Coordinates of all heavy atoms in Angstrom, one line a residue:
E351 N 19.8 -15.9 31.0 CA 20.0 -16.3 32.4 C 20.9 -15.2 33.1 O 21.6 -14.5 32.4 CB 20.7 -17.7 32.5 CG 19.8 -18.7 31.9 CD 20.5 -20.1 31.9 OE1 21.7 -20.1 32.2 OE2 19.8 -21.1 31.5
A352 N 20.9 -15.3 34.4 CA 21.6 -14.2 35.1 C 23.1 -14.4 35.0 O 23.8 -13.4 35.1 CB 21.2 -14.3 36.6
G353 N 23.6 -15.6 34.8 CA 25.1 -15.8 34.8 C 25.8 -15.0 33.7 O 26.7 -14.2 34.0
P354 N 25.4 -15.2 32.5 CA 26.1 -14.4 31.4 C 25.9 -12.9 31.6 O 26.8 -12.1 31.3 CB 25.4 -14.9 30.1 CG 24.9 -16.3 30.5 CD 24.5 -16.2 31.9
L355 N 24.7 -12.5 32.1 CA 24.5 -11.1 32.3 C 25.4 -10.5 33.4 O 26.0 -9.4 33.2 CB 23.0 -10.8 32.7 CG 22.0 -11.0 31.5 CD1 20.6 -10.9 32.1 CD2 22.2 -10.1 30.4
R356 N 25.6 -11.2 34.5 CA 26.5 -10.8 35.5 C 27.9 -10.8 35.1 O 28.7 -9.9 35.4 CB 26.3 -11.6 36.8 CG 24.9 -11.5 37.4 CD 24.9 -12.3 38.7 NE 23.5 -12.3 39.3 CZ 23.1 -11.3 40.1 NH1 23.9 -10.2 40.3 NH2 21.8 -11.3 40.6
E357 N 28.3 -11.8 34.3 CA 29.6 -11.8 33.7 C 29.9 -10.7 32.8 O 31.1 -10.2 32.8 CB 29.9 -13.2 33.0 CG 31.3 -13.4 32.5 CD 31.4 -14.7 31.8 OE1 30.5 -15.5 31.8 OE2 32.5 -14.9 31.2
A358 N 28.9 -10.2 32.1 CA 29.1 -9.0 31.2 C 29.0 -7.7 32.0 O 29.3 -6.7 31.4 CB 28.0 -9.1 30.1
G359 N 28.7 -7.8 33.3 CA 28.7 -6.5 34.1 C 27.4 -5.8 34.0 O 27.4 -4.6 34.0
V360 N 26.3 -6.5 34.1 CA 25.0 -5.9 34.0 C 24.7 -4.9 35.2 O 24.0 -3.9 35.1 CB 23.8 -6.9 33.9 CG1 23.7 -7.7 35.2 CG2 22.5 -6.3 33.5
E361 N 25.3 -5.2 36.4 CA 25.1 -4.3 37.5 C 25.7 -2.9 37.3 O 25.1 -1.9 37.8 CB 25.7 -4.9 38.8 CG 25.1 -6.2 39.3 CD 25.8 -7.4 38.7 OE1 26.5 -7.3 37.7 OE2 25.6 -8.5 39.3
Q362 N 26.8 -2.8 36.6 CA 27.4 -1.5 36.3 C 27.0 -0.9 35.0 O 27.3 0.3 34.7 CB 28.9 -1.6 36.3 CG 29.5 -2.1 37.7 CD 29.3 -3.5 38.0 OE1 29.4 -4.4 37.0 NE2 29.2 -3.9 39.2
A363 N 26.3 -1.6 34.1 CA 25.9 -1.1 32.8 C 24.8 -0.1 32.9 O 24.0 -0.1 33.9 CB 25.5 -2.3 31.9
V364 N 24.7 0.8 31.9 CA 23.7 1.8 31.9 C 22.5 1.4 31.0 O 21.4 1.9 31.1 CB 24.2 3.2 31.4 CG1 25.3 3.7 32.4 CG2 24.8 3.1 30.0
G365 N 22.8 0.4 30.1 CA 21.7 0.0 29.2 C 22.0 -1.4 28.6 O 23.2 -1.8 28.6
I366 N 21.0 -2.0 28.0 CA 21.1 -3.3 27.4 C 20.3 -3.3 26.2 O 19.2 -2.7 26.1 CB 20.7 -4.4 28.4 CG1 21.0 -5.8 27.8 CG2 19.2 -4.3 28.8 CD1 20.8 -6.9 28.8
V367 N 20.8 -4.0 25.2 CA 20.1 -4.2 23.9 C 19.8 -5.7 23.7 O 20.7 -6.5 23.6 CB 20.9 -3.7 22.7 CG1 20.2 -3.9 21.4 CG2 21.3 -2.2 22.8
A368 N 18.5 -6.0 23.8 CA 18.1 -7.4 23.5 C 17.7 -7.5 22.1 O 16.6 -7.2 21.6 CB 16.9 -7.8 24.4
G369 N 18.8 -8.0 21.3 CA 18.6 -7.9 19.8 C 18.8 -9.2 19.1 O 19.2 -9.2 17.9
T370 N 18.3 -10.3 19.7 CA 18.4 -11.6 19.0 C 17.2 -11.7 18.0 O 16.3 -10.8 18.0 CB 18.3 -12.8 19.9 OG1 17.0 -12.9 20.5 CG2 19.3 -12.6 21.1
D371 N 17.1 -12.7 17.2 CA 16.0 -12.9 16.2 C 14.9 -13.7 16.8 O 14.1 -14.2 16.1 CB 16.5 -13.5 14.9 CG 17.2 -14.9 15.2 OD1 17.3 -15.3 16.3 OD2 17.7 -15.5 14.2
N372 N 14.9 -13.9 18.2 CA 13.8 -14.7 18.8 C 13.2 -13.7 19.8 O 13.8 -13.3 20.8 CB 14.5 -15.9 19.5 CG 13.4 -16.8 20.1 OD1 12.7 -16.4 21.0 ND2 13.3 -18.0 19.6
D373 N 11.9 -13.5 19.7 CA 11.1 -12.6 20.5 C 11.1 -13.1 22.0 O 11.2 -12.2 22.9 CB 9.7 -12.3 20.0 CG 9.7 -11.4 18.8 OD1 10.8 -10.8 18.5 OD2 8.7 -11.3 18.2
V374 N 10.9 -14.4 22.2 CA 10.8 -14.9 23.5 C 12.1 -14.7 24.3 O 12.2 -14.3 25.4 CB 10.4 -16.4 23.5 CG1 10.5 -17.0 24.9 CG2 9.0 -16.5 22.9
N375 N 13.2 -15.0 23.6 CA 14.6 -14.7 24.2 C 14.8 -13.3 24.5 O 15.3 -12.9 25.6 CB 15.7 -15.2 23.2 CG 15.7 -16.7 23.2 OD1 15.2 -17.4 24.0 ND2 16.5 -17.3 22.2
N376 N 14.4 -12.4 23.6 CA 14.5 -10.9 23.9 C 13.8 -10.5 25.1 O 14.3 -9.7 25.9 CB 14.1 -10.1 22.6 CG 15.0 -10.3 21.5 OD1 16.2 -10.7 21.6 ND2 14.6 -10.0 20.3
L377 N 12.5 -11.0 25.2 CA 11.8 -10.6 26.4 C 12.4 -11.2 27.7 O 12.4 -10.5 28.7 CB 10.3 -11.1 26.3 CG 9.4 -10.3 25.3 CD1 8.1 -11.0 25.0 CD2 9.2 -8.9 25.9
S378 N 12.9 -12.4 27.6 CA 13.5 -13.1 28.7 C 14.8 -12.3 29.1 O 15.0 -12.1 30.3 CB 13.9 -14.5 28.4 OG 14.5 -15.1 29.5
I379 N 15.6 -11.9 28.1 CA 16.8 -11.1 28.4 C 16.4 -9.8 29.2 O 17.0 -9.4 30.2 CB 17.5 -10.8 27.1 CG1 18.1 -12.1 26.5 CG2 18.6 -9.7 27.3 CD1 18.6 -11.9 25.1
A380 N 15.4 -9.1 28.6 CA 15.0 -7.8 29.2 C 14.5 -8.0 30.6 O 14.8 -7.2 31.5 CB 14.0 -7.1 28.3
V381 N 13.7 -9.0 30.9 CA 13.1 -9.2 32.2 C 14.2 -9.5 33.2 O 14.2 -9.0 34.3 CB 12.0 -10.3 32.2 CG1 11.6 -10.7 33.6 CG2 10.8 -9.8 31.4
T382 N 15.1 -10.5 32.8 CA 16.1 -10.9 33.7 C 17.1 -9.7 34.0 O 17.5 -9.5 35.2 CB 16.9 -12.1 33.1 OG1 16.0 -13.1 32.7 CG2 18.0 -12.6 34.0
A383 N 17.4 -8.9 33.0 CA 18.3 -7.8 33.2 C 17.7 -6.8 34.1 O 18.4 -6.2 35.0 CB 18.7 -7.2 31.9
R384 N 16.4 -6.5 34.0 CA 15.8 -5.5 34.8 C 15.7 -6.0 36.2 O 15.7 -5.1 37.2 CB 14.4 -5.2 34.2 CG 14.3 -4.2 33.1 CD 14.1 -2.8 33.7 NE 14.1 -1.7 32.7 CZ 13.0 -1.3 32.0 NH1 11.9 -1.9 32.3 NH2 13.1 -0.4 31.2
E385 N 15.5 -7.3 36.5 CA 15.5 -7.8 37.8 C 16.8 -7.6 38.5 O 16.9 -7.3 39.7 CB 15.1 -9.3 37.8 CG 13.6 -9.5 37.4 CD 13.3 -11.0 37.4 OE1 14.3 -11.8 37.5 OE2 12.2 -11.4 37.2
I386 N 17.9 -7.7 37.8 CA 19.2 -7.5 38.4 C 19.5 -6.0 38.5 O 20.1 -5.6 39.6 CB 20.3 -8.2 37.5 CG1 20.0 -9.7 37.4 CG2 21.7 -7.9 38.1 CD1 20.9 -10.4 36.5
N387 N 19.2 -5.2 37.5 CA 19.5 -3.8 37.5 C 18.3 -3.0 37.1 O 18.1 -2.8 35.9 CB 20.7 -3.5 36.6 CG 21.1 -2.0 36.7 OD1 20.5 -1.2 37.3 ND2 22.3 -1.7 36.1
P388 N 17.4 -2.6 38.0 CA 16.2 -1.9 37.6 C 16.3 -0.6 36.9 O 15.4 -0.1 36.3 CB 15.4 -1.7 38.9 CG 16.1 -2.7 39.9 CD 17.5 -2.8 39.4
T389 N 17.5 0.0 37.0 CA 17.7 1.3 36.3 C 18.2 1.2 34.9 O 18.5 2.2 34.3 CB 18.8 2.1 37.1 OG1 20.0 1.4 37.1 CG2 18.3 2.3 38.6
L390 N 18.3 0.0 34.4 CA 18.8 -0.2 33.0 C 17.9 0.5 32.0 O 16.7 0.4 32.1 CB 18.9 -1.7 32.7 CG 20.2 -2.4 33.1 CD1 20.1 -3.9 32.7 CD2 21.4 -1.8 32.4
F391 N 18.5 1.1 31.0 CA 17.8 1.6 29.8 C 17.7 0.4 28.8 O 18.7 -0.1 28.4 CB 18.5 2.7 29.2 CG 17.7 3.4 28.1 CD1 17.0 4.5 28.3 CD2 17.7 2.9 26.8 CE1 16.2 5.2 27.3 CE2 17.0 3.5 25.8 CZ 16.3 4.7 26.0
V392 N 16.5 -0.1 28.5 CA 16.3 -1.3 27.7 C 15.9 -1.0 26.3 O 14.9 -0.3 26.1 CB 15.3 -2.3 28.4 CG1 15.1 -3.5 27.5 CG2 15.7 -2.6 29.8
V393 N 16.7 -1.5 25.4 CA 16.3 -1.4 23.9 C 15.9 -2.8 23.5 O 16.7 -3.8 23.6 CB 17.5 -0.9 23.1 CG1 17.1 -0.9 21.6 CG2 17.9 0.5 23.5
L394 N 14.7 -3.0 23.1 CA 14.1 -4.3 22.8 C 13.8 -4.5 21.3 O 13.1 -3.6 20.7 CB 12.9 -4.5 23.7 CG 12.3 -5.9 23.9 CD1 13.4 -6.8 24.5 CD2 11.1 -5.8 24.8
R395 N 14.3 -5.5 20.8 CA 14.0 -5.8 19.4 C 12.8 -6.8 19.3 O 12.7 -7.8 19.9 CB 15.2 -6.5 18.7 CG 14.9 -7.0 17.2 CD 16.1 -7.7 16.7 NE 15.8 -8.4 15.4 CZ 16.6 -9.2 14.7 NH1 17.8 -9.5 15.2 NH2 16.3 -9.7 13.6
Q396 N 11.8 -6.3 18.5 CA 10.6 -7.1 18.2 C 10.6 -7.6 16.8 O 10.6 -6.8 15.9 CB 9.3 -6.3 18.5 CG 8.0 -7.0 18.2 CD 6.8 -6.1 18.4 OE1 6.8 -5.1 19.1 NE2 5.7 -6.4 17.6
N397 N 10.5 -8.9 16.6 CA 10.6 -9.5 15.3 C 9.2 -9.8 14.7 O 9.0 -9.6 13.5 CB 11.4 -10.8 15.3 CG 12.8 -10.6 15.8 OD1 13.7 -10.2 15.0 ND2 13.1 -10.9 17.0
Q398 N 8.2 -10.2 15.5 CA 6.9 -10.5 15.0 C 5.9 -9.5 15.5 O 5.8 -9.2 16.7 CB 6.5 -11.9 15.4 CG 7.5 -13.0 14.9 CD 7.5 -13.2 13.4 OE1 6.4 -12.9 12.8 NE2 8.6 -13.5 12.8
E399 N 5.0 -9.0 14.6 CA 4.0 -8.1 14.9 C 3.0 -8.7 15.9 O 2.3 -8.1 16.7 CB 3.3 -7.6 13.7 CG 2.2 -6.6 13.9 CD 2.8 -5.2 14.3 OE1 4.0 -5.0 14.1 OE2 2.0 -4.4 14.8
A400 N 2.8 -10.1 15.8 CA 1.8 -10.8 16.6 C 2.2 -10.7 18.1 O 1.3 -10.9 19.0 CB 1.7 -12.2 16.2
N401 N 3.4 -10.4 18.4 CA 3.9 -10.4 19.8 C 3.8 -9.0 20.4 O 4.3 -8.8 21.5 CB 5.3 -10.9 19.9 CG 5.5 -12.4 19.6 OD1 4.6 -13.2 19.8 ND2 6.6 -12.7 18.9
R402 N 3.2 -8.1 19.7 CA 3.1 -6.7 20.2 C 2.5 -6.6 21.6 O 3.0 -5.8 22.4 CB 2.3 -5.8 19.2 CG 2.1 -4.4 19.7 CD 1.3 -3.6 18.6 NE 2.1 -3.4 17.5 CZ 3.0 -2.4 17.3 NH1 3.2 -1.6 18.3 NH2 3.7 -2.3 16.2
P403 N 1.4 -7.3 21.9 CA 0.9 -7.2 23.3 C 1.9 -7.5 24.4 O 1.9 -6.9 25.5 CB -0.3 -8.2 23.3 CG -0.7 -8.3 21.9 CD 0.5 -8.2 21.1
L404 N 2.8 -8.5 24.1 CA 3.8 -8.9 25.1 C 4.8 -7.8 25.3 O 5.2 -7.4 26.4 CB 4.5 -10.2 24.7 CG 3.6 -11.4 24.6 CD1 4.4 -12.6 24.1 CD2 2.9 -11.7 25.9
F405 N 5.2 -7.2 24.2 CA 6.2 -6.1 24.2 C 5.6 -4.9 24.8 O 6.3 -4.1 25.6 CB 6.8 -5.9 22.9 CG 7.8 -6.9 22.4 CD1 7.4 -8.1 21.9 CD2 9.1 -6.6 22.4 CE1 8.3 -9.1 21.5 CE2 10.1 -7.6 22.0 CZ 9.6 -8.8 21.5
A406 N 4.4 -4.6 24.5 CA 3.7 -3.4 25.1 C 3.6 -3.6 26.6 O 3.7 -2.6 27.4 CB 2.3 -3.2 24.5
A407 N 3.3 -4.8 27.1 CA 3.2 -5.1 28.5 C 4.5 -4.8 29.2 O 4.6 -4.4 30.4 CB 2.7 -6.5 28.8
F408 N 5.7 -5.2 28.6 CA 7.0 -4.9 29.2 C 7.3 -3.5 29.3 O 7.9 -3.0 30.2 CB 8.0 -5.7 28.5 CG 9.4 -5.5 29.1 CD1 9.8 -6.2 30.2 CD2 10.3 -4.6 28.5 CE1 11.1 -6.0 30.7 CE2 11.6 -4.4 29.0 CZ 11.9 -5.1 30.2
N409 N 6.9 -2.7 28.2 CA 7.1 -1.3 28.2 C 8.6 -0.9 28.2 O 9.1 -0.3 29.1 CB 6.4 -0.6 29.3 CG 6.4 0.9 29.1 OD1 6.5 1.4 28.0 ND2 6.2 1.6 30.3
A410 N 9.3 -1.3 27.1 CA 10.7 -1.1 27.0 C 11.0 0.4 26.8 O 10.1 1.2 26.3 CB 11.4 -1.9 25.9
D411 N 12.2 0.9 27.1 CA 12.5 2.3 26.9 C 12.5 2.7 25.4 O 12.2 3.8 25.0 CB 13.8 2.7 27.6 CG 13.8 2.5 29.1 OD1 13.1 3.3 29.7 OD2 14.4 1.5 29.6
M412 N 13.0 1.7 24.6 CA 13.1 1.9 23.2 C 12.9 0.6 22.5 O 13.5 -0.4 22.9 CB 14.5 2.5 22.8 CG 14.6 3.2 21.5 SD 16.2 4.0 21.4 CE 16.0 4.7 19.7
S413 N 12.0 0.6 21.5 CA 11.7 -0.7 20.7 C 12.2 -0.6 19.3 O 12.1 0.5 18.7 CB 10.2 -1.0 20.8 OG 9.9 -1.2 22.2
M414 N 12.6 -1.7 18.8 CA 13.0 -1.8 17.4 C 12.0 -2.8 16.7 O 12.1 -4.0 17.0 CB 14.4 -2.3 17.2 CG 14.9 -2.3 15.8 SD 14.5 -3.8 14.9 CE 15.2 -3.5 13.3
V415 N 11.1 -2.3 15.9 CA 10.2 -3.1 15.1 C 10.5 -2.9 13.7 O 10.3 -1.9 13.1 CB 8.7 -2.8 15.4 CG1 7.8 -3.7 14.8 CG2 8.5 -2.7 16.9
S416 N 11.1 -4.0 13.1 CA 11.6 -3.8 11.7 C 10.5 -3.4 10.7 O 10.7 -2.6 9.9 CB 12.2 -5.2 11.2 OG 12.6 -5.1 9.9
A417 N 9.3 -4.0 10.9 CA 8.2 -3.7 10.0 C 7.8 -2.2 10.0 O 7.5 -1.6 9.0 CB 7.0 -4.6 10.3
E418 N 7.7 -1.7 11.3 CA 7.4 -0.3 11.4 C 8.4 0.6 10.8 O 8.1 1.7 10.2 CB 7.1 0.0 12.9 CG 5.9 -0.7 13.4 CD 5.6 -0.2 14.9 OE1 6.4 0.5 15.4 OE2 4.6 -0.6 15.4
I419 N 9.7 0.3 11.0 CA 10.8 1.2 10.5 C 10.7 1.3 9.0 O 10.8 2.3 8.4 CB 12.1 0.7 11.0 CG1 12.3 0.9 12.5 CG2 13.3 1.4 10.3 CD1 13.5 0.3 13.1
V420 N 10.5 0.1 8.4 CA 10.5 0.1 6.9 C 9.2 0.8 6.4 O 9.3 1.6 5.5 CB 10.5 -1.4 6.4 CG1 10.4 -1.4 4.9 CG2 11.8 -2.0 6.8
A421 N 8.1 0.6 7.1 CA 6.8 1.2 6.6 C 6.9 2.7 6.8 O 6.5 3.5 5.9 CB 5.7 0.6 7.4
H422 N 7.5 3.2 7.9 CA 7.6 4.6 8.2 C 8.5 5.3 7.1 O 8.2 6.3 6.6 CB 8.2 4.9 9.5 CG 7.3 4.4 10.7 ND1 7.7 4.5 12.0 CD2 6.0 3.9 10.7 CE1 6.7 4.0 12.7 NE2 5.7 3.6 12.0
Q423 N 9.6 4.6 6.8 CA 10.5 5.2 5.8 C 9.9 5.2 4.4 O 10.0 6.2 3.7 CB 11.8 4.3 5.8 CG 12.9 5.0 5.0 CD 13.4 6.2 5.7 OE1 13.3 6.4 6.9 NE2 14.0 7.1 4.9
C424 N 9.2 4.1 4.1 CA 8.5 4.1 2.8 C 7.5 5.2 2.7 O 7.3 5.9 1.7 CB 7.9 2.7 2.5 SG 9.0 1.4 2.2
L425 N 6.7 5.4 3.8 CA 5.7 6.4 3.8 C 6.2 7.8 3.6 O 5.7 8.6 2.9 CB 4.9 6.3 5.1 CG 3.6 7.0 5.2 CD1 2.6 6.4 4.2 CD2 3.0 6.9 6.6
S426 N 7.4 8.1 4.3 CA 7.9 9.4 4.1 C 8.5 9.6 2.7 O 8.5 10.8 2.2 CB 9.1 9.6 5.2 OG 10.1 8.7 4.9
I427 N 8.9 8.6 2.1 CA 9.5 8.7 0.7 C 8.4 8.9 -0.3 O 8.5 9.8 -1.2 CB 10.3 7.5 0.4 CG1 11.6 7.4 1.2 CG2 10.7 7.5 -1.1 CD1 12.4 6.1 1.1
V428 N 7.3 8.1 -0.3 CA 6.3 8.1 -1.3 C 5.3 9.2 -1.1 O 4.7 9.7 -2.1 CB 5.7 6.7 -1.5 CG1 6.7 5.6 -1.8 CG2 4.8 6.4 -0.2

Side-chain angles (χ1 to χ4, degrees):
E351 298 178 353
L355 291 173
R356 294 184 184 277
E357 184 179 351
V360 68
E361 293 94 340
Q362 296 77 33
V364 297
I366 187 170
V367 178
T370 73
D371 57 2
N372 186 296
D373 283 350
V374 174
N375 285 348
N376 290 339
L377 286 169
S378 178
I379 291 168
V381 171
T382 306
R384 274 271 178 87
E385 289 177 351
I386 300 174
N387 185 352
T389 64
L390 276 177
F391 188 96
V392 177
V393 178
L394 197 57
R395 174 185 172 186
Q396 177 185 333
N397 297 281
Q398 300 295 328
E399 184 70 17
N401 294 325
R402 177 178 291 276
L404 300 177
F405 284 77
F408 179 79
N409 192 24
D411 297 288
M412 196 172 183
S413 297
M414 185 276 181
V415 186
S416 177
E418 291 185 356
I419 291 176
V420 177
H422 296 173
Q423 191 67 26
C424 290
L425 194 62
S426 63
I427 292 171
V428 303

